[in-house]
Amino acid sequence: MDLENNSMKNQHSDLLFGTSNKGKPIIIYESYFFKCNKTTESKKYWVCNEKACGVYVHTNINGEFICIKGDHNHSSNPDEVTVKLLRDKMKERILVETTSITKIYDEEIVKANISKGATALIPTVVEFTHNLRFSSRLSKKHPNIWCFIQLIQSEHVRFEHILIQLEAGTSPPKQSKKNISFQKRFETVKERFVQQQINANELSSSLSLLIGKKKQ
Ligand SMILES: [Zn+2]
């Protein structure tokens, strides 16, 4: 995972880095969102996300704040920022941990200790996993996944996290770790079947997905 994706922190206390839903780098400055507009040898220019606003933030190549130009013609939404940071944090954990999505979701919401306004902006766990799933390129690469989605859709929503974990787990592992991670995912799926968290159809879909990946 690259640094920009991984870390929402920066030297400047008011400047945060993140990734847009489309995977483009963004910054958040004083609760306003900016997207990168231009990069030169020494500077990056970030323009306010709001159309027709035109406020610019200049940073150096390393993302250190230089200055801000202009005044926003709209108000900021700190709740939106809180939720954005929360979602990024959840995504980050989902990709590196084997903890269930539902648990990660619940834990991060508790940790965030958010305001009432922000609470209304938080996606439900189902919306959240749905968005994750469709933002993943893997779902287009694996025809198996569509069978799995159809099966999952007819099941209890709490089981949706299994699909996401499988998808997250199928991101290209380092060669040397390939077999280890396959084994781990295999054990997880098997365990979930034994614990009756997934049914036989889901087990077989999961396994075909895992095996399909292993053959690549
Ligand atoms: Zn603006």
Side-chain angles (χ1 to χ4, degrees), residues 48 53 72 74:
C48 178
C53 172
H72 292 280
H74 56 105

Side-chain angles (χ1 to χ4, degrees), residues 14-71:
D14 289 324
L15 187 63
L16 300 164
F17 282 81
T19 319
S20 73
N21 292 338
K22 289 176 182 170
K24 300 266 168 64
I26 58 160
I27 58 171
I28 301 161
Y29 184 72
E30 291 175 337
S31 299
Y32 288 97
F33 292 88
F34 297 79
K35 58 189 173 195
C36 192
N37 189 54
K38 193 171 111 182
T39 305
T40 67
E41 268 179 29
S42 59
K43 272 185 171 183
K44 282 187 180 182
Y45 298 87
W46 306 82
V47 65
C48 178
N49 233 353
E50 191 75 26
K51 276 178 193 154
C53 172
V55 171
Y56 270 86
V57 166
H58 299 190
T59 67
N60 68 15
I61 286 296
N62 299 322
E64 286 159 318
F65 183 82
I66 296 172
C67 65
I68 180 161
K69 300 242 160 122
D71 295 304

Side-chain angles (χ1 to χ4, degrees), residues 77-84 86 113-123:
N77 189 344
D79 288 341
E80 224 175 280
V81 175
T82 307
V83 172
K84 166 73 184 152
L86 179 65
N113 192 21
I114 46 186
S115 71
K116 261 192 181 173
T119 309
L121 294 171
I122 297 175

